[in-house]
């Protein structure tokens, strides 16, 4: 039987890798991929806690489904923003999108 | 070491390696493919946790729909070159330091509570069947479920408005 803490360590590793990706990448699409990785790690934690702590209530899975929906909405709007920015400024590099910067 | 544990470690190595591969690949298409591999292995993790419904949603929604959208946009914009990561200066060190701080913090909390975290799964394997998840969503969590559907509708309209060209 796998202890719950193994899942937690694994999810923490994925979340940290995703955070590094969000902070280090310059391509806006790659930044969005990092965000997806972080949301995924959160979902692993939700399902693992459901399985080990409260397996008789399905709440953990219900919230995992909602996280899926939010992730899908986030990607749809995020990629639409990327397309819109690319049309106006002809770039997807986050460093070049600096109109709001002094 | 049981076979379950061996499977866990193999899958964990594949998942972490594909996540690192996503970070290091210069080509955005390869990064997206690594991410699909990562999502597929995580789907097997959900099966090991006997969450069959979540596992299938992971494959169809994440590895299917979301990643197809990513690949579509990457190829549509011709944005394959992700650019190299900064090799020196604060742009190089800040992400490493912040990521390491988060990882150490999480590991510290988990290791400190190691004894208190349960080691065994409590229930039989028929829990978390799709029918049970559906009943839970439509009975106890009806309002959050409807709010989520409104969120999806708003995101859809927003995406259409943002990506619409001016001429049409």
């Amino acid at each position: 039987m796998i202890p719950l803490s193994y899942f937690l360590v694994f999810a923490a590793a994925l979340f940290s890798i995703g955070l590094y990706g969000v902070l280090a990448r310059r391509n806006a699409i790659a930044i969005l991929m990092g965000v997806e990785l972080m949301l995924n790690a959160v979902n692993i934690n939700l399902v693992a806690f459901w399985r080990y702590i409260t397996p008789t209530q399905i709440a953990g899975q219900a919230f995992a489904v909602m996280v899926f929906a939010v992730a899908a909405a986030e990607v749809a709007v995020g990629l639409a923003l990327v397309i819109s920015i690319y049309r106006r400024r002809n770039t997807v590099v986050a460093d070049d999108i600096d109109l709001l910067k002094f | 070491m049981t076979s379950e544990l061996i499977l866990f470690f193999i899958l964990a190595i594949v998942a972490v390696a594909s996540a690192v591969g996503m970070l290091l690949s210069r080509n955005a298409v390869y990064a997206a493919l690594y991410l699909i591999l990562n999502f597929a292995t995580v789907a097997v993790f959900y099966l090991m946790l006997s969450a069959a419904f979540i596992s299938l949603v992971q494959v169809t929604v994440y590895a299917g729909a979301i990643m197809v959208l990513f690949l579509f946009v990457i190829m549509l914009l011709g944005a394959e070159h992700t650019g190299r990561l900064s090799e020196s200066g604060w742009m190089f060190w800040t992400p490493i330091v912040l990521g390491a701080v988060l990882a150490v913090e999480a590991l510290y909390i988990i290791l400190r509570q190691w004894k208190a975290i349960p080691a065994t799964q409590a229930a039989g394997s028929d829990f978390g069947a799709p029918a049970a998840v559906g009943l839970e969503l439509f009975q106890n969590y009806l309002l959050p479920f409807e709010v989520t559907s409104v969120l999806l509708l708003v995101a859809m309209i927003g995406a259409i408005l943002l990506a619409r060209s001016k001429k049409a």
Side-chain angles (χ1 to χ4, degrees):
Chain A
M1 192 58 77
I2 306 159
L4 171 58
S5 33
Y6 286 17
F7 280 102
L8 299 186
V9 171
F10 169 66
L14 276 192
F15 195 92
S16 302
I17 293 171
L19 179 71
Y20 175 77
V22 169
L23 294 174
R25 293 316 276 270
R26 290 174 163 180
N27 188 322
I29 298 173
I31 292 174
L32 271 180
M33 284 192 213
V35 173
E36 288 309 300
L37 204 58
M38 290 163 81
L39 282 170
N40 213 34
V42 170
N43 252 351
I44 295 173
N45 266 357
L46 270 178
V47 175
F49 273 118
W50 159 76
R51 190 70 184 83
Y52 285 83
I53 309 272
T54 59
T56 48
Q57 299 164 347
I58 315 291
Q61 284 203 50
F63 279 99
V65 170
M66 281 165 206
V67 172
F68 279 130
V70 171
E74 174 247 327
V75 167
V77 175
L79 288 178
L81 278 173
V82 169
I83 290 177
S84 181
I85 291 168
Y86 186 82
R87 236 185 231 135
R88 276 156 213 268
R89 305 191 58 115
N90 214 8
T91 180
V92 290
V93 179
D95 286 346
D96 298 341
I97 308 165
D98 53 359
L99 205 61
L100 278 177
K101 216 159 128 188
F102 270 125
Chain B
M1 192 181 258
T2 62
S3 58
E4 212 176 6
L5 214 54
I6 294 170
L7 179 65
F8 177 88
F9 279 119
I10 291 172
L11 283 175
I13 288 167
V14 171
V16 171
S18 59
V20 172
M22 185 206 93
L23 281 186
L24 296 182
S25 62
R26 297 267 172 79
N27 193 320
V29 176
Y30 289 160
L33 292 178
Y34 274 123
L35 199 55
I36 292 176
L37 178 63
N38 183 283
F39 287 159
T41 47
V42 170
V44 183
F45 274 113
Y46 291 146
L47 275 186
M48 286 170 73
L49 288 165
S50 67
F53 176 66
I54 300 292
S55 171
L56 286 179
V57 170
Q58 169 89 6
V59 171
T60 51
V61 173
Y62 255 115
I66 290 181
M67 292 320 291
V68 166
L69 198 59
F70 266 112
L71 286 172
F72 225 78
V73 171
I74 291 169
M75 292 175 180
L76 190 70
L77 300 185
E80 285 92 352
H81 295 289
T82 53
R84 54 181 57 203
L85 303 172
S86 319
E87 269 151 18
S88 59
W90 68 275
M91 276 289 286
F92 175 73
W93 287 108
T94 312
I96 289 182
V97 169
L98 288 179
V101 163
L102 182 73
V104 169
E105 203 174 354
L107 280 182
Y108 171 71
I109 291 170
I110 293 168
L111 290 179
R112 219 184 48 165
Q113 309 273 338
W114 193 269
K115 289 273 158 51
I117 297 172
T120 51
Q121 303 180 359
S125 58
D126 58 331
F127 280 99
V133 179
L135 280 178
E136 183 80 5
L137 273 178
F138 282 102
Q139 284 174 346
N140 289 348
Y141 292 101
L142 185 61
L143 183 64
F145 183 79
E146 294 298 335
V147 171
T148 310
S149 64
V150 172
L151 174 75
L152 276 178
L153 178 69
V154 171
M156 192 172 73
I157 296 171
I160 292 170
L161 275 180
L162 282 172
R164 192 181 55 170
S165 69
K166 283 279 168 282
K167 288 166 202 151

